[in-house]
Amino acid sequence: MRVGFLQFYPKLFHEKQNLDKISLMLQNCNTDLVVLPELCTSGYSFKSKAEMEPLSSADSGRIPDFFKHIAEREETALVAGFLEKDGELFYNSQILVDPFGNQTIYRKTHLFLNEKDIFAPGNTGFKVVKYKNAFLGLMVCFDWIFPESARTLSIMGADILCHSANLVMPFCQKAMITRSIENHVYTITGNRIGSEKNRDQALTFTGMSQITDPQGNILVKADQTEEVLMSVDIDPEIARNKMITEKNHLFEDRRKEFYDL
Ligand code: ACM
C-alpha cells in the first residue's frame, strides 16, 4: 500500500487558492492514501464565527464534493481537515473519502487553545475505517498529546493513524514516534507550514510532516518549509502483530486494575 502526506501552506480565508493548490499537488500522486493538514481548505486562525461562516461546509456539499472529486480522479483515499458547520455549531473536522464516494467524518476531540472559543468539541468519538487492506484511524492535531487518542484508535483496530495537523509546538513529531512504538502502528502526520496573523493571534506552523512505522522508524519526513507530497510503500498487516516479545502482548498485558483512569 502506498501512503503519503501533502504538506503545504494553506492561505487563511483563501479557499479557492487552497483547493487549486491541493488539486495541483495531488495530480498523478500515485498513492492509495494521502493525509492532508488540519483545516487545510480554510486556514486556521479564525477569531469569530462571522469569519468562519463563508469558509465552512456541511458534511455534504462543497468541500466533501471537492475531496471526493480528487479521490476519484487520482484513485486514492484522502484524509483532510476542514471547517464543518452543523446547525449553529462549527467543528474542527476531518474527512476521509475513498475513490468510490464513501466518506467518514471525525470531529476533533481535543480542542487546542483558542479553538475552545470558536469550535464545539468533537462529538463523533474516534473512528476506524477499513480501506483496501488497511484499517485507518482518524485523529486531528492536538489529539496527539493525549495518548488515549492513539491508544483508543489502536485498540479499535487501526493499523495506520491518519493525523491531520496544524502544529505550533515542537514536540509532536517526536511524540508520534512513541505513539507508533507503544501501539505498534503506522502514523502519518500531515502538517502545514507557514505563518498566520489575525488580530492578536500570530502563529507559525512547524511542518516536518512524517510517516512512522510500528517500530518508530521515520520512513519519510519533510522539512519545516517545503510544500511537498511524500509517499512510501508499507504493509499495514505488520501493525496487527502486537506481540512485542514472545511473552508480551501490547494490549493483553495491560494491568488495567492499576491504572483505570
Ligand atoms: C493544534 O491542535 N492545531 C495545535
Side-chain angles (χ1 to χ4, degrees):
M1 187 172 198
R2 190 149 191 96
V3 302
F5 58 74
L6 179 67
Q7 172 171 299
F8 75 106
Y9 191 156
K11 290 284 160 44
L12 182 62
F13 305 133
H14 287 82
E15 179 180 293
K16 181 169 186 321
Q17 195 177 324
N18 297 332
L19 300 193
D20 286 349
K21 182 171 278 184
I22 291 167
S23 176
L24 188 67
M25 290 186 76
L26 286 175
Q27 220 154 32
N28 304 318
C29 56
N30 191 28
T31 53
D32 299 298
L33 166 69
V34 181
V35 177
L36 289 83
E38 178 183 14
L39 293 171
C40 69
T41 63
S42 60
Y44 179 80
S45 304
F46 294 98
K47 297 300 288 182
S48 71
K49 295 190 176 176
E51 284 179 355
M52 296 163 85
E53 177 73 39
L55 280 302
S56 65
S57 170
D59 64 358
S60 61
R62 194 176 80 257
I63 298 294
D65 286 350
F66 166 77
F67 284 114
K68 282 181 188 165
H69 163 70
I70 305 288
E72 188 181 357
R73 187 189 78 193
E74 300 300 331
E75 298 181 355
T76 186
L78 300 172
V79 175
F82 79 106
L83 175 49
E84 185 191 355
K85 185 166 188 224
D86 183 11
E88 290 309 302
L89 299 178
F90 293 93
Y91 292 96
N92 186 336
S93 292
Q94 191 186 35
I95 187 167
L96 160 64
V97 292
D98 72 16
F100 316 108
N102 301 303
Q103 79 169 40
T104 302
I105 295 214
Y106 163 67
R107 294 171 171 169
K108 184 176 184 178
T109 302
H110 303 100
L111 297 177
F112 177 69
L113 199 65
N114 299 333
E115 291 173 28
K116 292 192 172 194
D117 303 331
I118 50 174
F119 289 108
N123 57 1
T124 54
F126 292 103
K127 303 259 185 177
V128 174
V129 178
K130 185 160 197 285
Y131 176 66
K132 293 199 168 171
N133 68 335
F135 290 91
L136 310 180
L138 301 182
M139 58 187 276
V140 176
C141 208
F142 200 51
D143 285 334
W144 73 267
I145 207 165
F146 300 91
E148 292 88 346
S149 310
R151 180 66 106 196
T152 301
L153 289 166
S154 303
I155 287 176
M156 288 169 74
D159 306 316
I160 307 170
L161 305 186
C162 301
H163 181 212
S164 296
N166 277 189
L167 294 163
V168 291
M169 296 196 293
F171 319 117
C172 172
Q173 291 87 342
K174 290 183 194 134
M176 292 309 284
I177 295 172
T178 304
R179 299 290 171 271
S180 285
I181 297 168
E182 66 197 3
N183 295 296
H184 203 254
V185 291
Y186 293 92
T187 74
I188 307 173
T189 297
N191 192 21
R192 63 161 290 173
I193 59 162
S195 300
E196 285 185 0
K197 180 153 176 40
N198 190 2
R199 289 178 248 173
D200 60 337
Q201 179 163 295
L203 296 172
T204 295
F205 301 93
T206 59
M208 296 189 285
S209 299
Q210 66 185 18
I211 300 177
T212 61
D213 76 8
Q215 294 186 308
N217 300 302
I218 297 174
L219 302 179
V220 287
K221 185 174 181 112
D223 72 19
Q224 287 182 56
T225 57
E226 63 187 331
E227 293 195 302
V228 67
L229 172 79
M230 287 187 175
S231 63
V232 64
D233 286 318
I234 64 162
D235 178 359
E237 287 185 26
I238 290 174
R240 287 177 212 162
N241 178 6
K242 303 299 184 187
M243 296 302 296
I244 297 307
T245 71
E246 66 270 23
K247 294 187 182 174
N248 292 105
H249 188 281
L250 259 186
F251 298 159
E252 287 166 13
D253 278 13
R254 289 178 304 143
R255 302 287 310 278
K256 289 196 281 183
E257 67 272 36
F258 293 121
Y259 39 74
D260 192 8
L261 304 174

